[in-house]
Amino acid sequence: MGWIRIKSMVFHTFNGVLPEEKKLGQRLEADIELNFPIEKQVLHDNLNETVNYAAVYETVETFIKTHNYDLIESLANRVADEVLTNYPQVKTVKVRIRKYAVPINGIFDHVEVEVEKQNG
């Protein structure tokens, strides 16, 4: 099985618990990993034999920009569901969401959640 990865997709969203997060929005970053049998499916150098990652990017972008949640855990879960629904040839999807503007009294780079789900 092979992996297709789209890393560090950046979106301005309105996810978060606090009213300021919902009003002003913030930057979220996402990674998507798609487990797909590349060695068995991609035999003729044809886009129709693989997962079109441009389409996957669009699916993720549209979903993240049109759905708002209090928790990035919920967002990651729903993004994984959306990818598996739209790309049934994907066996497993991993979604990582990073949030940089987190209201924690401390010094750190970001908070990240990861969700892994399987088709079927």
Side-chain angles (χ1 to χ4, degrees):
M1 295 292 274
W3 289 91
I4 296 171
R5 294 180 178 92
I6 306 173
K7 295 195 157 218
S8 299
M9 297 176 281
V10 178
F11 308 105
H12 185 80
T13 74
F14 295 89
N15 292 281
V17 173
L18 300 177
E20 296 82 12
E21 294 175 297
K22 294 179 185 308
K23 181 181 177 187
L24 301 174
Q26 64 188 290
R27 169 186 164 207
L28 289 184
E29 205 169 88
D31 300 334
I32 301 292
E33 295 186 24
L34 311 169
N35 186 240
F36 175 73
I38 293 170
E39 69 287 351
K40 293 178 184 176
Q41 298 293 326
V42 182
L43 304 175
H44 304 98
D45 196 34
N46 185 319
L47 181 59
N48 294 323
E49 295 176 338
T50 190
V51 179
N52 182 333
Y53 35 88
V56 172
Y57 180 94
E58 244 179 72
T59 298
V60 172
E61 176 183 41
T62 299
F63 190 88
I64 288 178
K65 286 185 171 184
T66 59
H67 293 80
N68 298 318
Y69 297 95
D70 287 347
L71 306 176
I72 59 174
E73 293 87 341
S74 298
L75 178 61
N77 267 321
R78 299 296 74 81
V79 168
D81 292 341
E82 186 76 4
V83 169
L84 290 176
T85 298
N86 285 285
Y87 305 94
Q89 69 273 43
V90 171
K91 302 301 180 203
T92 304
V93 63
K94 288 183 187 178
V95 177
R96 276 185 290 294
I97 304 285
R98 284 180 292 285
K99 184 175 180 178
Y100 290 85
V102 181
I104 295 175
N105 186 18
I107 300 170
F108 61 96
D109 186 59
H110 63 272
V111 172
E112 178 178 277
V113 299
E114 179 176 315
V115 171
E116 180 176 327
K117 292 190 173 192
Q118 296 182 341
N119 240 336

